């Protein structure tokens, strides 16, 4: 259950919103969404160790290629996926929005390590690419969706800095000041952001539960196939280039391919809340489908990698 806590939390949030949306609507009136987002990233910053940051210079080629995959090819793949699968409206906006996100903050590192990847390179890629994302997400959303969606990129940047980067930096500084606290409460520090995210998804979906009933299984399946197509295109390109032109060792290539092809749901929920919720209320659905699909798919891939290596 600990390994799949994020999936379980999101699934429970969806079920709870479907059966009892009144609780989510009441929490919305309490205006707790922004504090929840800030708490998520405070604890994410708290969990980052300074020794991982000090090794960034050793992994510069991987980091540069990872940035190209996550923040350059990701938006391109999302736009192409929306076109190929003929998505429009909320579905198109949601898939492209998710494709513009940074790597996952937890699951990418965990799954990469489970699949024989290098944990240090996975952690460094996650840290650096999430820092870059605060600046690049507004720009990528602007050029991918700016023609059809009104986006105030500077206001979005201000909110990302305030809700994501500042709490993460404060959390990391506090962690460096009190390292014993991080070690003593490591489990709680890891799990609390997951619970907060589940609560945030519950609040968000509770508002849209009437609209969700009209999506249908066929549309959900199309969204899943589109999301997995984007994910695996990025994964294959990331792995292939890192193994051959860059000549990275297999553990580093596996880490890069998993981390840089995954997309984070907490930032996606935050961006959707700030920029798309009013006009595209169901754009959060492709993001959730993308997130769940990538975790399950990469879990199977990691197990296959381990079996293949051991044989």
């Amino acid at each position: 259950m600990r390994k799949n806590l994020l999936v379980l939390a999101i699934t429970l949030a969806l079920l709870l919103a479907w059966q009892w949306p009144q609780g989510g609507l009441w929490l919305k009136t309490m205006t707790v969404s922004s504090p929840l987002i800030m708490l998520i990233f405070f604890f994410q910053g708290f969990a980052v160790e300074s020794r991982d940051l000090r090794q960034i210079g050793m992994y510069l080629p991987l980091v540069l290629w990872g940035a190209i995959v996550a923040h350059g090819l990701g938006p391109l793949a999302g736009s192409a996926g929306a076109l190929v699968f003929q998505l429009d409206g909320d579905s198109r906006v949601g898939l492209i929005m998710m494709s513009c996100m940074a790597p996952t903050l937890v699951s990418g590192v965990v799954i990469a390590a489970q699949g024989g990847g290098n944990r240090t390179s996975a952690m460094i890629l996650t840290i650096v690419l999430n820092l870059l994302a605060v600046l690049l997400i507004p720009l990528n959303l602007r050029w991918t969706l700016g023609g059809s969606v009104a986006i105030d990129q500077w206001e979005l940047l201000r909110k990302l800095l305030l809700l994501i980067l500042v709490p993460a930096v404060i959390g990391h500084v506090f962690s460096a000041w009190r390292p014993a606290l991080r070690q003593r409460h490591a489990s709680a520090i890891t799990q609390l952001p997951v619970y907060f995210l589940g609560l945030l998804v519950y609040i968000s979906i509770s508002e849209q539960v009437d609209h969700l009933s009209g999506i249908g299984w066929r549309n959900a399946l199309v969204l899943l196939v589109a999301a997995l197509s984007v994910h695996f295109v990025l994964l294959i390109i990331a792995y292939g280039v890192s193994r051959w032109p860059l000549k990275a060792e297999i553990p580093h290539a596996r880490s890069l391919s998993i981390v840089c092809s995954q997309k984070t749901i907490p930032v996606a929920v935050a961006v959707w809340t700030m920029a798309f919720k009013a006009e595209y209320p169901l754009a959060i659905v492709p993001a959730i489908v993308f997130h769940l699909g990538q975790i399950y798919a990469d879990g199977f891939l990691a197990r296959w990698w381990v079996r293949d290596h051991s044989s």
Side-chain angles (χ1 to χ4, degrees):
M1 288 184 65
R2 285 195 186 99
K3 290 181 179 179
N4 297 284
L5 185 60
L6 188 59
V7 175
L8 291 172
I10 293 177
T11 303
L12 180 61
L14 293 173
L15 293 174
L16 193 59
W18 190 266
Q19 294 296 324
W20 189 53
Q22 295 86 353
L25 294 174
W26 177 78
L27 287 171
K28 180 179 180 292
T29 65
M30 304 296 289
T31 62
V32 299
S33 294
S34 292
L36 282 173
I37 294 170
M38 297 177 78
L39 283 170
I40 288 169
F41 290 98
F42 171 83
F43 283 105
Q44 294 288 7
F46 200 97
V48 174
E49 297 190 28
S50 297
R51 68 186 181 196
D52 291 326
L53 292 174
R54 287 195 291 266
Q55 299 181 66
I56 288 175
M58 297 170 55
Y59 296 92
L60 189 57
L62 284 179
V63 169
L64 291 174
W65 174 234
I68 292 171
V69 172
H71 296 305
L73 299 182
L76 280 173
S79 299
L83 184 64
V84 169
F85 289 92
Q86 300 180 344
L87 303 181
D88 56 13
D90 295 62
S91 297
R92 173 180 174 270
V93 170
L95 181 67
I96 294 176
M97 177 191 70
M98 189 62 168
S99 301
C100 292
M101 294 300 108
T104 55
L105 294 154
V106 178
S107 62
V109 177
V110 172
I111 294 174
Q114 290 174 348
N118 181 277
R119 187 187 181 282
T120 301
S121 60
M123 179 62 72
I124 287 172
L125 283 162
T126 299
I127 293 169
V128 175
L129 298 183
N130 273 276
L131 290 174
L132 287 174
V134 177
L135 298 174
L136 294 177
I137 285 174
L139 295 175
N140 282 331
L141 289 173
R142 181 71 178 175
W143 74 260
T144 54
L145 292 171
S148 56
V149 177
I151 299 172
D152 187 340
Q153 66 187 68
W154 299 113
E155 177 62 13
L156 180 58
L157 176 60
R158 185 189 69 82
K159 289 181 178 179
L160 286 172
L161 289 169
L162 179 63
L163 296 179
I164 293 175
L165 184 59
V166 171
V169 170
I170 293 173
H172 180 65
V173 170
F174 189 76
S175 173
W177 181 44
R178 289 283 189 268
L181 193 63
R182 184 185 64 235
Q183 296 169 4
R184 190 162 58 246
H185 301 286
S187 179
I189 290 168
T190 302
Q191 293 177 19
L192 279 173
V194 178
Y195 298 139
F196 292 146
L197 176 61
L199 191 57
L200 188 61
V201 171
Y202 171 53
I203 295 169
S204 301
I205 297 301
S206 294
E207 299 178 67
Q208 316 301 335
V209 69
D210 291 336
H211 300 286
L212 287 174
S213 59
I215 291 178
W217 288 106
R218 181 178 178 182
N219 291 333
L221 182 60
V222 170
L223 286 176
L224 178 61
V225 174
L228 288 178
S229 298
V230 172
H231 173 63
F232 278 114
V233 164
L234 295 177
L235 188 147
I236 291 167
I237 293 174
Y239 185 87
V241 172
S242 60
R243 278 292 289 141
W244 287 283
L246 294 183
K247 300 188 184 303
E249 296 178 356
I250 289 177
H252 295 298
R254 288 181 178 180
S255 291
L256 187 143
S257 61
I258 292 290
V259 168
C260 297
S261 60
Q262 288 199 0
K263 300 296 180 179
T264 180
I265 190 68
V267 182
V269 172
V271 170
W272 170 74
T273 302
M274 291 184 280
F276 302 112
K277 185 177 177 180
E279 190 173 356
Y280 296 94
L282 295 183
I284 192 61
V285 175
I288 292 172
V289 170
F290 195 122
H291 182 77
L292 295 175
Q294 71 186 4
I295 289 179
Y296 284 120
D298 288 352
F300 284 114
L301 177 62
R303 285 192 284 273
W304 177 74
W305 269 343
V306 171
R307 285 199 305 268
D308 181 63
H309 181 72
S310 60
S311 61

